[in-house]
Amino acid sequence: MSIKASSIDSAARVLKFGMVGGGQGAFIGDVHRKGATLDALAVLAAGCFSRNYENTLATGALWNLAQDRLYRTYEEMAQKEAAREDGIDFVIICTPNNTHFPAAKAFLEQGIHVVCDKPLALSSKQGEELKALAESKGLLFCVTYTYVGYPMVHQMRQMIRNGDIGKVRVVTGQYIQGWLATELESDGQKQASWRCDPALSGISNATGDIGTHLENLIAFTTGLKIESVCANLRPVGEHRKLDNEAEILVRYEGGATGMMWASQVAIGHDNDLRITICGDKGTIEWIQENPNYLRVDLLGEPSRILSRGNGYFYPEVNAMNRIPAGHVEGHFTAFANTYKAFCTTLSAKLDGKPAPDLFFPGVDAGIEGNRFVEKCVESSALGAVWVKF
Ligand SMILES: NC(=O)c1ccc[n+]([C@@H]2O[C@H](COP(=O)([O-])OP(=O)(O)OC[C@H]3O[C@@H](n4cnc5c(N)ncnc54)[C@H](O)[C@@H]3O)[C@@H](O)[C@H]2O)c1
């Protein structure tokens, strides 16, 4: 048994980070905070955790932050942190979608590296603007597509790169949840309310919220580029304006085809993300709710279930192990894997050293996600017709 990944080789420095969003009662902010600190590569030093300052104070107190590092607005935080000798090295943005662009811009303008949740912005145009700004300032930009932090997802990518299942022919993916089967937002449920509001969520709900994970996961594992999409998006519910249900056909460059299903009204399904990739030599399938296992079917051979931590994976996948086989790794460690890659890359950059060979999704992946949403919305509005990507 070889468990190395949880021990970091002499970290050059411990980075300081701040957060926009992630106040008490928020969902993903707390996962970010735990993922970012799991390997002791970064410490939380500042925050504007909420628009409600009382919440920011309470969240900051829980994490032992000095009161002068707790801010009423992200604009104030960007300016004041940039002016401090001991200011933050990077910021994590995990607010509702409409805040991503202005907040990321505010920190980039102040020379602070950015980690932002998906969907990157409200449009690919905004995403391009963030990319140009980050590049002009020489700043790192990570977009947290959670699922590319899982070892089995890296195994899928390596298997495809190495030709283990041959040329990819068909890819299907579903990301289905049931939590919006009723109009929870009418009772003020926080996460439902902003997701169903076009002003806060953007031009889409389900396609942007969970469809972008599918798009990114398939792009990461297969390397396929979308050539065109044909999408049927619809709101389910009397008062809803944005899609909660999306069926999307995809044609990829080079001839492969695919189907994606994103739903928030699939009763009985919690966070049922799964993808199946069929090549001309075999098929692989990963189910997020059982993330330590990978099903592999090679032509003419019996089905196999690969089990994380058993040593027979590609070396970069074995290197991601934190605990032995059969001890379940999951959501927090997936975030930690992305943060480990981001933090060690940023430390190396600050120390003038070469970047480590570790993957984190960058701003281009975020822009692709926004473009995917735009093309799906366009296709659906035209009556579910094929639209070039
Ligand atoms: N990567 C993933 O797997 C994943 C999972 C869930 C959500 N997300 C994304 O994360 C973001 C947040 O989603 P959530 O479900 O955690 O939402 P949430 O409503 O639970 O949390 C949002 C937080 O942002 C704060 N906030 C809002 N406006 C603010 C502002 N102007 N300044 C400071 N704080 C502000 C809120 O007070 C709250 O603490 C969304 O963009 C969502 O798409 C990503």
Side-chain angles (χ1 to χ4, degrees):
M1 174 171 57
S2 162
I3 300 295
K4 290 198 185 121
S6 53
S7 54
I8 306 291
D9 307 330
S10 62
R13 54 170 84 213
V14 176
L15 299 166
K16 295 178 290 302
F17 71 96
M19 294 186 75
V20 181
Q24 289 183 334
F27 164 35
I28 207 67
D30 195 51
V31 182
H32 276 275
R33 199 156 38 228
K34 287 169 179 155
T37 53
L38 202 65
D39 290 315
L41 293 170
V43 290
L44 179 62
C48 169
F49 300 108
S50 169
R51 275 168 305 172
N52 172 352
Y53 190 53
E54 298 306 312
N55 187 323
T56 291
L57 291 177
T59 308
L62 205 61
W63 284 77
N64 286 321
L65 298 195
Q67 193 159 341
D68 68 337
R69 311 290 292 269
L70 300 175
Y71 301 95
R72 286 178 190 276
T73 66
Y74 61 76
E75 292 93 338
E76 181 194 4
M77 176 169 154
Q79 279 165 17
K80 292 198 172 152
E81 285 296 318
R84 292 179 73 108
E85 284 256 312
D86 63 349
I88 55 171
D89 298 295
F90 70 96
V91 67
I92 299 173
I93 299 166
C94 46
T95 50
N97 306 347
N98 67 318
T99 325
H100 295 181
F101 172 72
K105 194 172 170 194
F107 284 90
L108 292 173
E109 280 170 345
Q110 295 295 337
I112 295 170
H113 304 271
V114 171
V115 176
C116 183
D117 220 315
K118 44 49 61 182
L120 170 59
L122 292 186
S123 67
S124 56
K125 190 164 173 282
Q126 288 185 343
E128 297 283 3
E129 196 178 326
L130 293 176
K131 178 182 171 171
L133 187 55
E135 283 179 357
S136 73
K137 299 255 185 187
L139 297 168
L140 296 189
F141 201 119
C142 170
V143 179
T144 42
Y145 284 106
T146 308
Y147 302 101
V148 299
Y150 283 85
M152 291 304 96
V153 170
H154 283 254
Q155 174 71 10
M156 292 172 91
R157 174 157 91 149
Q158 286 307 332
M159 289 182 76
I160 291 166
R161 284 184 162 184
N162 285 284
D164 297 353
I165 62 161
K167 188 174 186 314
V168 174
R169 291 169 162 164
V170 183
V171 189
T172 71
Q174 68 175 49
Y175 194 158
I176 60 172
Q177 306 174 326
W179 72 293
L180 291 179
T182 60
E183 295 188 52
L184 280 186
E185 63 279 17
S186 58
D187 296 330
Q189 203 272 6
K190 188 179 156 76
Q191 284 79 20
S193 296
W194 72 255
R195 279 177 171 81
C196 294
D197 180 349
L200 303 179
S201 196
I203 58 173
S204 156
N205 178 6
T207 308
D209 198 38
I210 50 180
T212 51
H213 278 300
L214 273 178
E215 175 274 322
N216 178 258
L217 188 51
I218 291 168
F220 176 76
T221 50
T222 65
L224 290 173
K225 302 254 177 279
I226 297 179
E227 189 259 332
S228 52
V229 295
C230 174
N232 183 45
L233 274 46
R234 65 192 170 98
V236 179
E238 210 187 324
H239 304 102
R240 287 184 169 154
K241 297 187 177 71
L242 298 175
D243 56 301
N244 310 106
E245 167 63 32
E247 301 103 25
I248 303 158
L249 291 176
V250 186
R251 291 179 184 145
Y252 294 97
E253 290 175 9
T257 54
M259 288 179 286
M260 298 186 206
W261 176 27
S263 178
Q264 296 162 322
V265 296
I267 293 171
H269 293 263
D270 295 332
N271 200 46
D272 190 354
L273 164 64
R274 56 181 76 194
I275 62 169
T276 307
I277 304 170
C278 306
D280 58 15
K281 292 186 189 162
T283 295
I284 43 182
E285 182 175 73
W286 182 67
I287 299 174
Q288 185 274 154
E289 290 184 354
N290 197 15
N292 290 254
Y293 300 94
L294 183 64
R295 176 174 167 163
V296 178
D297 290 276
L298 298 181
L299 187 64
E301 297 184 20
S303 299
R304 295 173 195 176
I305 304 293
L306 309 189
S307 165
R308 185 202 60 74
N310 273 300
Y312 43 63
F313 293 90
Y314 283 105
E316 51 275 52
V317 180
N318 286 327
M320 294 174 83
N321 288 326
R322 290 164 178 274
I323 43 177
H327 298 72
V328 180
E329 290 182 6
H331 205 227
F332 288 116
T333 46
F335 266 88
N337 289 335
T338 293
Y339 276 108
K340 181 178 164 189
F342 178 79
C343 289
T344 51
T345 304
L346 180 51
S347 284
K349 184 179 173 67
L350 297 176
D351 291 337
K353 292 181 179 164
D357 189 16
L358 290 173
F359 175 84
F360 65 86
V363 70
D364 284 321
I367 295 168
E368 282 300 281
N370 278 128
R371 188 165 294 127
F372 175 71
V373 173
E374 287 162 354
K375 292 296 171 185
C376 289
V377 169
E378 180 186 338
S379 163
S380 188
L382 291 170
V385 298
W386 285 100
V387 167
K388 288 259 180 233
F389 205 65

